[in-house]
Each structure stands twice: as structure tokens, then as C-alpha cells.
């Protein structure tokens, strides 16, 4: 009754063979200089246009960044306010409990 019942482990159905690993030696020829690199041809000019920031695009980026900063700031301030309110309520509860306990000892 108190002994755990262990599940039976299934037996493998086929023969398992480890994969064959073939190691081929490599030869290193000392003192053979590497062939000189071929001179690079100048890269052709890119056919894709470069990104141009227009005043409207720059204004949209600044507005989006400002919105993100304001939202993150509001979330952080609200979290800090929640912690402060919780700490204040715990402190009030502690003072009330302390006064109740000390009044019982005086009687």
C-alpha cells in the first residue's frame, strides 16, 4: 500500500547501432604561401534609394518616441504610487495593531 508503483519501462523493439563516424586525416604543407588575393573591383553603385528623412517623417519619429517615453513614465509612476499606498496602509495597520495590543496589556 505504501510502496510506490513504478511504471514498466518499454523495451526497445529493434537493434540500435551507434552511427559510424569516419575520421579523415588532413595534411598540412608547411611553408606554402597563400595565393595573393585578386584585386577587388569597385563595387557597383546601389540601385536602391537611400532612406531620406523628410520633415514629416522626422516629426512622426519624434512624436512616436515622445509618446513611448510618456507611456513608460506613466506606468512607472503608477507602480511607484501603488507601492507607496500599500506601504502607508501597512504602516497604519501596524500602528492600530500595536495600540490594540498595548491597551490589552494595561488592563
Amino acid at each position: 500500500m505504501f510502496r510506490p508503483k513504478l511504471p514498466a519501462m518499454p523495451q526497445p523493439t529493434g537493434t540500435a547501432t551507434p552511427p559510424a563516424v569516419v575520421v579523415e586525416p588532413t595534411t598540412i604543407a608547411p611553408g606554402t604561401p597563400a595565393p595573393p588575393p585578386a584585386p577587388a573591383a569597385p563595387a557597383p553603385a546601389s540601385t536602391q534609394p537611400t532612406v531620406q528623412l523628410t520633415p514629416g517623417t522626422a516629426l512622426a519619429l519624434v512624436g512616436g518616441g515622445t509618446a513611448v517615453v510618456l507611456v513608460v513614465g506613466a506606468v512607472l509612476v503608477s507602480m511607484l504610487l501603488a507601492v507607496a499606498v500599500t506601504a502607508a496602509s501597512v504602516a497604519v495597520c501596524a500602528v492600530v495593531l500595536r495600540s490594540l495590543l498595548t491597551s490589552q496589556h494595561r488592563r
Side-chain angles (χ1 to χ4, degrees):
M1 179 177 165
F2 293 108
R3 289 188 178 181
K5 294 182 180 178
L6 299 175
M9 294 295 291
Q11 297 298 322
T13 57
T15 59
T17 58
V21 177
V22 179
V23 178
E24 296 180 7
T26 58
T27 59
I28 299 175
T32 55
S46 176
T47 58
Q48 295 179 348
T50 58
V51 176
Q52 297 287 330
L53 281 181
T54 62
T57 309
L59 188 61
L61 286 175
V62 169
T66 303
V68 167
V69 167
L70 288 177
V71 168
V72 170
V75 168
L76 291 177
V77 167
S78 64
M79 288 172 58
L80 179 64
L81 184 62
V83 169
V85 167
T86 304
S89 65
V90 167
V92 168
C93 289
V95 168
V96 169
L97 285 175
R98 182 178 175 190
S99 69
L100 287 175
L101 291 176
T102 56
S103 67
Q104 283 183 348
H105 289 296
R106 290 181 187 168
R107 290 184 185 179

